[in-house]
Amino acid sequence: MPSRATTPRPDRGAWRKTEIIEAAAQCFMERGYHATGVDDVARRLGCTKGRIYHHYASKTDLFFAVHREGMARLFAAQEAILPLPENALEALCAMLTAHANAMLEHHTYESVVAQGVQVHRFEATTPDQRDTMAALIAERDRFEALFKARLARGMAQGSIRESDVSITGKVLLGALQWSIIWYRPRPDDDAAHRADLAARMVAPLIEGLRPPG
Amino acid sequence: MPSRATTPRPDRGAWRKTEIIEAAAQCFMERGYHATGVDDVARRLGCTKGRIYHHYASKTDLFFAVHREGMARLFAAQEAILPLPENALEALCAMLTAHANAMLEHHTYESVVAQGVQVHRFEATTPDQRDTMAALIAERDRFEALFKARLARGMAQGSIRESDVSITGKVLLGALQWSIIWYRPRPDDDAAHRADLAARMVAPLIEGLRPPG
DNA sequence: GTCTATATGGTGATAGAC
DNA sequence: GTCTATCACCATATAGAC
């Protein structure tokens, strides 16, 4: 990375692309994939769709880019808390809390992830798009497996209550992912507020409803 | 209602209407509201859209009808388990189990409910549709309040662990509602299988992850 | 790289025959 | 009550000027 000091911004092309998927993510979140037109995204950027089609081949590609970024942020949140404690219950608590935080912080992108591949299951045309779709599904499975592995380990080591690992995993993640339905970021929303909310979301999952004693 | 004995079916009009929203529900579930055309619904019924537009004024009205039916079935599932035990933890356990069962059994309709009013928040045009929308939102709030009330009562009587009632309510319901994402009914899916699945879904919510002792 | 203008296909909805 | 035929509109995507 030498001899680049002249340009204030290293590569404007990359910046443009992220700027576009950011706008697209907001539109897709607010109105859903099918209801948003490429013109809507352009209007939000203050430009015309010419710019968008210069950077992305199709609206579908745009959606996939947003989805990919959303998944990347979920994985990043998990990597940020490594290494995890050996006790699986403590580890899972940290993982769920980090996930809840990520769902809230990246609410825009995760809303799009939730719409998910399902939107395109019946209309993936080009083989290239089919590959992208398969890759995204694989990513989601890999993410879910992260949690299921800890669950299984915890049950083996006795730190987590016995239950159906597969279903419990889906229930736990679903409980947090459903926040995209009811959570709406507010102007005064800061990291502390989100952390507080995340803790309140995870607590009942760890402790259950049954009172102590 | 006299002199109608000749017709084998009392009111075929009503049957037609339910037949239509059944087909619409399946289409909306599979491809989403915007992606499904009125022609798709007609094709599934083996007719043309003339019939559909004779019974429903617009595609939006069709969606609302499906949504309304979905909510009605959720309420029906709760009413079916009345009266509930006085102990709020036991009551909530029964409510959650019934809700999980309903989500699985009426998977088609509840998928549409989940797409929900959000789809139309930004595009409800006529004042009539706006009223319908408001009514559906009110129904959903009323349903959620059912669970929150029990939670609050349980915490007051000591049968349920203390937590943030509002958030815990959303987390519990979200955990079950997320099943529309991963659950796909199978040919051999009977009531017993759904009941078993529902029990496995609710168990970790009641007990939490922390092991006994 | 970004814009304007346009081609093209599809979709909600209506009119009128039967 | 249901169908066929059709309209009017909108959205994706492209072509070419700047």
Side-chain angles (χ1 to χ4, degrees), chain B:
Chain B
M1 47 192 81
S3 71
R4 212 204 250 154
T6 47
T7 54
R9 222 169 249 293
D11 45 1
R12 194 157 100 183
W15 160 249
R16 278 298 195 213
K17 290 192 83 163
T18 69
E19 185 189 43
I20 289 170
I21 68 168
E22 172 69 25
Q26 286 174 359
C27 291
F28 291 157
M29 171 201 66
E30 287 178 356
R31 315 179 47 139
Y33 173 76
H34 288 287
T36 63
V38 180
D39 283 316
D40 295 328
V41 181
R43 198 173 314 125
R44 185 175 288 246
L45 277 165
C47 70
T48 68
K49 53 187 169 188
R51 186 193 291 177
I52 292 173
Y53 276 106
H54 177 73
H55 290 277
Y56 292 94
S58 69
K59 184 180 153 186
T60 303
D61 283 3
L62 202 49
F63 179 85
F64 284 148
V66 175
H67 194 164
R68 208 185 335 265
E69 173 66 20
M71 284 306 303
R73 294 187 184 192
L74 292 186
F75 276 108
Q78 294 301 314
E79 281 154 18
I81 56 171
L82 295 178
L84 287 167
E86 191 53 33
N87 180 296
L89 178 62
E90 292 172 25
L92 202 54
C93 185
M95 289 168 72
L96 291 171
T97 304
H99 183 54
N101 257 302
M103 290 297 298
L104 300 177
E105 182 177 357
H106 308 122
H107 168 259
T108 308
Y109 285 84
E110 307 314 334
S111 293
V112 180
V113 170
Q115 295 179 51
V117 184
Q118 188 181 10
V119 175
H120 288 278
R121 186 159 35 179
F122 292 88
E123 47 191 319
T125 43
T126 78
D128 201 35
Q129 287 179 350
R130 238 174 214 296
D131 292 349
T132 308
M133 237 178 52
L136 291 178
I137 293 176
E139 284 277 276
R140 295 177 74 170
D141 289 347
R142 189 162 69 87
F143 188 77
E144 202 177 317
L146 237 57
F147 290 78
K148 286 198 231 173
R150 288 282 164 174
L151 269 177
R153 187 196 293 189
M155 292 181 202
Q157 75 184 189
S159 66
I160 290 179
R161 180 185 296 262
E162 294 280 347
S163 72
D164 186 311
V165 171
S166 175
I167 292 173
T168 300
K170 288 179 193 306
V171 164
L172 292 176
L173 286 178
L176 303 182
Q177 273 155 221
W178 193 253
S179 62
I180 58 159
I181 299 293
W182 53 264
Y183 174 72
R184 289 292 173 274
R186 295 193 173 184
D188 61 329
D189 241 13
D190 57 354
H193 176 251
R194 285 194 299 269
D196 179 62
L197 188 49
R200 290 176 206 255
M201 287 165 68
V202 172
L205 297 175
I206 298 290
E207 307 294 349
L209 297 175
R210 195 180 298 281

